[in-house]
Amino acid sequence: MCGIVGYIGDSNVEKVLMQGLDSLKYRGYDSAGVALYDNGNIKVFKAVGKLENLQNKLSALSDDEKRASMGIGHIRWATHGSATEVNAHPHLSMDGNIAIVHNGIIENYKELKGELEAKGYVFKSQTDTEVVAYLIGDEYKKVGNLKVAVQHIIPRLKGAYALCIMCKDEGGKIVVVRKNAPLVIGIGNGENIVASDIPAIISTTSNIVYLNDDEVAVVKKDSVEIEDLNGNKIPLNIQKMSIEMDAISKMGYKHYMLKEIYEQPNIVRNLLCGRITNVNTPISLDEVKISRDALKQLSRVQIIACGTSLHAGQIGRYLIEDLVGVATEVEPASEYIYRKNTTDKNSLVIAISQSGETADTITAVRQAREKGAYIIVITNRPDSNITRYADSILNVNAGIEVSVAATKSYTAQLLTLYLFAIYFAEVKGVSLDRLPSIKEELVSIPVKMEEVLSSDADIEKKAEALSKYQNFVYIGRGVNLPTAMEGALKLKEISYINANAYPAGELKHGPIALLDENMPVVSVLIPGHISYDKTISNCEEARARGAKLITITSSDDKELEKLFDVIIRIPVVSDMLSPLLAVIPFQLLAYHISNFLGKDVDQPRNLAKSVTVE
Ligand code: F6R
């Protein structure tokens, strides 16, 4: 959600900014803009909609018109005020001396705006960001130094911000500051770059500095200096970035989503590596820092997440309750934070967030921490905000996920939850007779995932036939109810087709009224568990109402062909581990349907990759 880039150096500033913004598009946006500094002038260009619209505007300019020695750029996902050019960033101070781009939300902007209006300032946009530009402009008039003006106004801001600021009167420097919103500085050779996320930096340098909350950095062409708000110098901690270019390239796939679906077997393989050495040896999970005694004493687990991560958490609940026998609740972070919950020091809170920047989940973790709970964060971004509130961080190591629809991060979260549940059971000394066979089967999952992927061409054909339907019902039971929910979410978010998931047994309590020949029912059927026969009965009930039936199953029973119109077979797998395989056909179905319908697979409308507002 929103992206920032700032660049100072001898390369073509406009190009570096546009490339950087292009690499951040995946986060979701609906307008874009850049401010170019040239010889005491700041020129601002903005466009609503796709980045191409801004690029077209810039391409129409002469080299002279876009000459610049530094610049800042932004993609905006509208929060305060709709997606218009006026609301797009960069914003200028009223006198035009200061230009800023901002990620995050200034919670007290109305109050600050009122103060400035009382002083005679007139605002052009509806944004909170313009208020910050005016505030810095106002302070700059008093102190005549950009860095100091920023240091003075930061304590007045409530909320989250990553700010990148230029001043007409102070060429040769970009000032940046952040709080609860990501910002990274890339240290180049005779050039420096700042961005809200690493993909924007990767083609300039692999040396990076992470800014801490309320540290102010002055970024010049040949130097970067950091101070706290009181002017105390902070040493530069330059780190080598580990992310490879491959992570942000499509590697020949038509879309990032497809590439990311195909990456799943290797991600799982890598996650298993070194964890399960021998099925009879306890699992190794050194990242869990809670003492074994404290873990044994825990009386409850609460899992908090949003969206796809929430579905992973729902499967986590089945695993922990089944293998460990400890009561586990799962709740959307957006619900948890607004009610009187009973989290206490005997609770283990597991927060799951791919991006680590989801505002609701971060707030939930903060609240739980204040109540004394032990916090485990499962994330794909160990450098993200949420990890600041964690006692233990489990990095799912899926590599940067560019497609807005989460796929590989989901299976990596699931695998991490399987590992954690087994670890927890071993520490508690329970389910010990079952664990060796579960571990053995886990090790076989990557090869089975590859088998599922090898039927992609067949799934694509089935998807083409299914792409004519406007409504779907997804059903599942037990550990695969969340799989059905995840399948339905994938379909609706990238193809805009209405897909609702229900517990299979709930169908007859209401949703069955919806069914007819235009509403296919998609189910998950895994033999070897009582839910198998029960789900078949639910499918029979749907068939009796004329619904077309589709199933994803590990059964090779030929009889199923009499009942089901479409069967997608996955390898034989236990009910417990089946979510790791069953989700892949759901991802592929959603992908191919979206592709057939000509939708923007990687950047679906209205969605953002990291949702930084509550
Ligand atoms: C769906 C999707 C979203 C996210 C949700 C939480 O494909 O990506 O539902 O899962 O916004 O995001 P994280 O996991 O980053 O907290």
Side-chain angles (χ1 to χ4, degrees):
M1 216 174 217
C2 301
I4 286 182
V5 188
Y7 175 77
I8 182 161
D10 293 333
S11 294
N12 182 319
V13 175
E14 171 238 339
K15 278 211 178 103
V16 176
L17 294 180
M18 290 304 284
Q19 269 167 15
L21 293 180
D22 190 66
S23 72
L24 298 178
K25 281 190 319 194
Y26 75 96
R27 297 177 72 92
Y29 72 105
D30 39 36
S31 59
V34 292
L36 303 175
Y37 175 95
D38 178 38
N39 220 1
N41 279 316
I42 292 179
K43 297 165 277 187
V44 176
F45 305 95
K46 302 180 183 184
V48 172
K50 293 280 170 196
L51 202 55
E52 288 72 35
N53 300 342
L54 177 62
Q55 187 59 68
N56 291 341
K57 275 194 177 176
L58 292 168
S59 302
L61 301 173
S62 68
D63 285 350
D64 239 19
E65 284 170 307
K66 51 190 177 186
R67 190 183 49 230
S69 54
M70 63 176 181
I72 55 179
H74 191 262
I75 46 174
R76 170 175 188 257
W77 191 84
T79 54
H80 295 67
S82 51
T84 59
E85 266 190 32
V86 174
N87 287 332
H89 303 204
H91 286 281
L92 298 176
S93 56
M94 201 164 100
D95 58 6
N97 195 28
I98 308 285
I100 77 167
V101 289
H102 163 223
N103 277 4
I105 284 192
I106 306 301
E107 284 160 7
N108 59 336
Y109 82 103
K110 281 198 179 134
E111 189 185 314
L112 298 168
K113 192 171 183 171
E115 267 178 41
L116 288 162
E117 279 170 340
K119 283 189 179 178
Y121 283 97
V122 180
F123 289 87
K124 297 190 186 82
S125 79
Q126 297 152 292
T127 63
D128 50 345
T129 304
E130 194 181 25
V131 176
V132 182
Y134 278 37
L135 259 191
I136 299 175
D138 187 63
E139 188 65 18
Y140 186 79
K141 281 190 200 148
K142 292 178 214 152
V143 297
N145 178 308
L146 181 60
K147 180 194 69 188
V148 176
V150 171
Q151 283 166 326
H152 285 181
I153 68 111
I154 287 301
R156 306 207 55 208
L157 305 181
K158 288 198 188 127
Y161 43 83
L163 296 164
C164 210
I165 310 147
M166 296 192 301
C167 174
K168 253 190 198 172
D169 295 345
E170 293 193 28
K173 73 169 73 139
I174 298 173
V175 173
V176 294
V177 60
R178 66 171 286 270
K179 185 174 187 182
N180 297 333
L183 197 81
V184 191
I185 306 173
I187 310 289
N189 196 358
E191 58 180 352
N192 287 313
I193 184 162
V194 292
S196 51
D197 203 355
I198 279 168
I201 286 185
I202 211 161
S203 51
T204 303
T205 177
S206 59
N207 295 322
I208 52 167
V209 171
Y210 290 102
L211 260 197
N212 289 313
D213 277 2
D214 288 342
E215 288 177 354
V216 179
V218 176
V219 181
K220 298 184 178 170
K221 198 171 151 228
D222 297 307
S223 68
V224 173
E225 283 177 7
I226 304 180
E227 288 182 6
D228 65 17
L229 295 182
N230 299 318
N232 300 309
K233 297 252 177 289
I234 306 216
L236 278 193
N237 176 11
I238 302 178
Q239 302 179 27
K240 246 317 178 239
M241 194 158 47
S242 55
I243 292 164
E244 303 295 325
M245 281 301 274
D246 290 0
I248 54 162
S249 119
K250 284 191 200 147
M251 304 285 286
Y253 287 93
K254 186 171 177 194
H255 294 101
Y256 282 108
M257 181 175 177
L258 192 60
K259 173 195 161 213
E260 289 162 0
I261 290 173
Y262 271 82
E263 283 174 340
Q264 293 176 110
N266 274 340
I267 290 167
V268 169
R269 212 169 255 131
N270 291 341
L271 270 173
L272 286 168
C273 191
R275 312 281 189 189
I276 300 175
T277 43
N278 175 316
V279 294
N280 296 313
T281 311
I283 219 158
S284 140
L285 210 56
D286 298 342
E287 301 91 321
V288 178
K289 306 285 182 210
I290 184 169
S291 74
R292 297 172 74 86
D293 279 346
L295 192 57
K296 268 189 208 161
Q297 298 310 317
L298 283 172
S299 54
R300 74 193 287 209
V301 177
Q302 286 176 296
I303 303 181
I304 303 170
C306 302
T308 289
S309 300
L310 181 67
H311 297 150
Q314 282 160 341
I315 292 174
R317 179 191 131 203
Y318 282 95
L319 304 177
I320 295 172
E321 293 204 331
D322 187 340
L323 292 177
V324 193
V326 170
T328 305
E329 301 147 49
V330 192
E331 195 169 357
S334 55
E335 289 299 315
Y336 175 88
I337 58 182
Y338 298 121
R339 71 180 179 87
K340 196 168 166 196
N341 58 62
T342 53
T343 304
D344 61 19
K345 60 180 178 14
N346 298 317
S347 314
L348 167 64
V349 167
I350 303 179
I352 310 174
S353 175
Q354 184 284 130
S355 63
E357 301 295 344
T358 300
D360 286 321
T361 315
I362 293 177
T363 307
V365 165
R366 272 197 197 143
Q367 287 183 2
R369 200 181 168 80
E370 274 161 24
K371 293 178 161 191
Y374 189 89
I375 313 281
I376 293 182
V377 165
I378 297 181
T379 183
N380 195 28
R381 301 299 297 263
D383 54 343
S384 62
N385 254 318
I386 199 165
T387 58
R388 291 162 190 265
Y389 310 103
D391 295 303
S392 297
I393 302 166
L394 299 186
N395 180 1
V396 305
N397 261 312
I400 287 192
E401 190 174 61
V402 175
S403 182
V404 165
T407 53
K408 63 175 181 173
S409 63
Y410 172 75
T411 39
Q413 288 167 347
L414 276 188
L415 208 275
T416 306
L417 286 160
Y418 280 96
L419 292 174
F420 175 72
I422 297 172
Y423 173 82
F424 197 176
E426 281 172 342
V427 169
K428 273 222 155 218
V430 292
S431 300
L432 297 182
D433 50 334
R434 295 167 65 200
L435 299 183
S437 66
I438 295 174
K439 287 187 205 168
E440 194 173 348
E441 198 187 353
L442 262 182
V443 175
S444 73
I445 288 292
V447 171
K448 291 185 179 177
M449 283 179 148
E450 276 156 358
E451 246 178 89
V452 179
L453 288 169
S454 69
S455 57
D456 185 16
D458 180 47
I459 295 174
E460 184 176 2
K461 273 193 217 125
K462 290 171 169 148
E464 186 171 12
L466 292 171
S467 60
K468 64 174 198 248
Y469 291 95
Q470 297 303 309
N471 297 289
F472 284 80
V473 165
Y474 281 55
I475 56 171
R477 277 177 185 262
V479 77
N480 277 312
L481 169 58
T483 311
M485 292 166 77
E486 175 58 11
L489 178 66
K490 286 285 93 79
L491 184 62
K492 62 188 144 198
E493 66 184 334
I494 60 170
S495 68
Y496 321 142
I497 288 172
N498 180 34
N500 292 314
Y502 302 100
E506 277 293 299
L507 205 57
K508 55 188 173 298
H509 297 290
I512 201 164
L514 293 168
L515 300 185
D516 62 17
E517 64 284 2
N518 297 317
M519 175 95 70
V521 173
V522 190
S523 56
V524 191
L525 285 174
I526 308 295
H529 190 270
I530 179 142
S531 64
Y532 179 75
D533 290 332
K534 299 282 174 204
T535 310
I536 291 188
S537 305
N538 301 134
C539 293
E540 307 254 18
E541 290 153 15
R543 164 47 42 96
R545 274 77 192 175
K548 196 174 171 79
L549 296 185
I550 299 133
T551 193
I552 291 167
T553 182
S554 58
S555 162
D556 58 2
D557 183 357
K558 292 273 171 259
E559 285 295 295
L560 292 180
E561 282 157 27
K562 294 188 185 145
L563 178 62
F564 290 92
D565 302 281
V566 178
I567 299 181
I568 298 172
R569 301 213 191 249
I570 59 172
V572 173
V573 61
S574 66
D575 184 66
M576 176 170 271
L577 296 194
S578 61
L580 286 162
L581 298 187
V583 74
I584 297 177
F586 280 124
Q587 296 169 341
L588 288 169
L589 269 181
Y591 169 78
H592 290 301
I593 290 176
S594 171
N595 192 28
F596 280 124
L597 296 177
K599 306 294 184 208
D600 190 347
V601 174
D602 284 332
Q603 284 165 43
R605 69 184 184 200
N606 304 340
L607 295 179
K609 186 69 186 161
S610 54
V611 184
T612 49
V613 291
E614 280 175 13

